[in-house]
Amino acid sequence: MKHLLTTALIMSTTIQGFSQAKQYLLIGTYTSGKSEGIYVYSFDNGKCEPVSKLATNNPSYLAVSPDNKFVYAVHEEGKDKPNVSSYAFNNQSGTLQLLNQQNTQGDHPCYVSIDKSGKWVAAGNYSGGNFSLFPVKEDGGLRPASQTIQHEGKGIDPKRQTKPYVHSTVFSPDNKHLFVQDLGLDKIFNYNFDSKTGELHPAADPFTTTNPGGGPRHLDFHPTQPWAYLMEEMSGNVVALKYHHGILDTFQTISAIAKGYTGDIGSADIHVSPDGKFLYASNRGQSDDIAIFKIDQRTGKLTLIDNAKLNGKGPRNFSIDPTGRFLLVAYQRSDKVEVYNRNARTGLLTPTGNEFSVGNPVCLKWIK
């Protein structure tokens, strides 16, 4: 009996330990103001507490490995510097340790992602108009770029589209394609991707043309259905696309801008809720809101249900926590992060009253 009780106690403790695995929030920043680098916060039931920070220059976008052991950051600087870094993450102490750095082969990288196998990292160079792919070593470090692909051309806007501007690199859910959003060319480029060899080459249908002058920025896939949603920075439009046979086809374009708004447009981030029922898109300019769309579960089409006014300026990035209960907003121009409750039934947002100061926050990622 004593042996059985001991075994039961051990099992109970183990299960409890797994269920209480710490949830951390990683924050990437610009360091030209109050920030010093990457910040780590613990997150519990909508409340954030500081854990650690790592000093580094302009870690503007982050990616987390599938096993939660490694973090990758691009440093939005010139190509003369090693501008992508790999870090080991200690989930007991909540700290990051630098493994190594590589050059992204282009100016001002603004986006980094990792494929589903955890063996390849893609970094997009905004000013460089190109992107690079890096093999990941067994210890999580990065090897030099195995491939760099340069885009060519220009868009219709004489001020903002004089050349390519790669804004994001997104692996498809099936890990067979890499989609590269180019703000300068109004195109979503489609590359076939081999996760075993890391080979990239243009797909048979090499790109999807988007709205002229729209400025493709970020792309997010639905968690269960073959749909993807694109945020256009310059137009404020959301483009709904069907993903089939490795191709993205547009089936709807809808504005994320509130009716009657006449100020500057600078749309930024976009995310589908974990339950796949709602889509959220952030608007900067003077609007400083998050557009909330209901997703038709049969067709994937969007209906705008609200433009939630926010309590800060410059919502460059936001993130829904893994439970789907909370939405956190990084206000680049207000030097803070704010936590909102997310109603799972209606999709609507309400402030929790929880917020904390971080200098120039521009990226939020989750890690355990």
Side-chain angles (χ1 to χ4, degrees), residues 31-71:
T31 53
S32 55
K34 300 176 182 178
S35 172
E36 297 179 56
I38 301 173
Y39 292 80
V40 182
Y41 278 71
S42 63
F43 184 81
D44 183 25
N45 197 31
K47 296 182 179 180
C48 297
E49 296 292 340
V51 175
S52 68
K53 66 181 177 182
L54 185 142
T56 185
N57 290 336
N58 294 319
S60 65
Y61 208 83
L62 312 173
V64 176
S65 65
D67 61 9
N68 282 252
K69 292 182 178 180
F70 307 106
V71 175

Side-chain angles (χ1 to χ4, degrees), residues 130-171:
N130 60 13
F131 68 96
S132 293
L133 188 72
F134 300 86
V136 177
K137 298 189 290 184
E138 288 188 7
D139 68 354
L142 295 173
R143 300 187 189 280
S146 59
Q147 199 168 353
T148 298
I149 296 179
Q150 180 70 48
H151 291 173
E152 303 290 346
K154 62 181 180 179
I156 67 168
D157 189 297
K159 293 183 178 180
R160 298 201 57 194
Q161 295 183 311
T162 58
K163 63 176 185 176
Y165 288 100
V166 168
H167 220 313
S168 59
T169 53
V170 179
F171 290 96

Side-chain angles (χ1 to χ4, degrees), residues 63-342:
V64 176
S65 65
D67 61 9
N68 282 252
K69 292 182 178 180
F70 307 106
V71 175
Y72 301 92
V74 286
H75 307 275
E76 205 159 326
E77 299 176 338
K79 63 183 177 182
D80 58 325
K81 299 180 180 180
N83 43 19
V84 60
S85 299
S86 60
Y87 302 94
F89 181 71
N90 184 319
N91 65 0
Q92 297 300 310
S93 62
T95 56
L96 294 164
Q97 181 180 359
L98 177 66
L99 295 174
N100 74 336
Q101 297 178 314
Q102 297 291 351
N103 196 297
T104 62
Q105 308 300 318
D107 287 329
H108 304 111
C110 66
Y111 197 95
V112 63
S113 57
I114 187 164
D115 86 305
K116 306 300 184 293
S117 74
K119 296 179 180 179
W120 305 94
V121 164
N125 297 304
Y126 182 73
S127 299
N130 60 13
F131 68 96
S132 293
L133 188 72
F134 300 86
V136 177
K137 298 189 290 184
E138 288 188 7
D139 68 354
L142 295 173
R143 300 187 189 280
S146 59
Q147 199 168 353
T148 298
I149 296 179
Q150 180 70 48
H151 291 173
E152 303 290 346
K154 62 181 180 179
I156 67 168
D157 189 297
K159 293 183 178 180
R160 298 201 57 194
Q161 295 183 311
T162 58
K163 63 176 185 176
Y165 288 100
V166 168
H167 220 313
S168 59
T169 53
V170 179
F171 290 96
S172 62
D174 58 15
N175 215 36
K176 294 181 179 180
H177 295 264
L178 179 66
F179 290 101
V180 180
Q181 288 56 244
D182 197 311
L183 179 143
L185 305 183
D186 291 319
K187 291 178 179 178
I188 302 172
F189 286 87
N190 181 3
Y191 296 93
N192 290 331
F193 171 64
D194 187 328
S195 61
K196 293 182 179 179
T197 65
E199 183 180 356
L200 284 169
H201 57 85
D205 192 351
F207 58 82
T208 299
T209 301
T210 60
N211 305 302
R217 183 181 170 95
H218 284 189
L219 182 78
D220 196 27
F221 282 86
H222 192 279
T224 58
Q225 299 295 329
W227 308 320
Y229 299 94
L230 171 75
M231 183 82 259
E232 291 186 334
E233 177 176 332
M234 296 163 61
S235 70
N237 287 334
V238 173
V239 180
L241 307 113
K242 185 175 182 181
Y243 177 62
H244 60 107
H245 302 298
I247 298 171
L248 290 175
D249 283 330
T250 301
F251 64 85
Q252 183 189 20
T253 298
I254 183 171
S255 179
I257 306 302
K259 188 176 182 180
Y261 174 75
T262 58
D264 296 333
I265 294 175
S267 299
D269 204 10
I270 188 165
H271 295 288
V272 181
S273 60
D275 58 15
K277 295 180 179 180
F278 298 94
L279 177 76
Y280 299 82
S282 64
N283 295 306
R284 296 170 295 180
Q286 292 83 42
S287 58
D288 294 319
D289 67 33
I290 287 187
I292 305 172
F293 300 89
K294 185 175 182 180
I295 302 175
D296 187 305
Q297 297 301 294
R298 295 181 301 105
T299 66
K301 288 190 174 181
L302 304 172
T303 301
L304 180 64
I305 58 175
D306 192 29
N307 281 88
K309 191 65 179 175
L310 300 173
N311 299 316
K313 296 180 179 180
R316 182 185 176 98
N317 187 238
F318 67 93
S319 184
I320 302 170
D321 86 300
T323 71
R325 294 172 54 205
F326 302 98
L327 185 147
L328 284 70
V329 184
Y331 298 116
Q332 181 183 353
R333 294 193 292 125
S334 293
D335 294 325
K336 69 177 183 179
V337 174
E338 185 180 18
V339 183
Y340 287 79
N341 283 313
R342 192 186 78 87

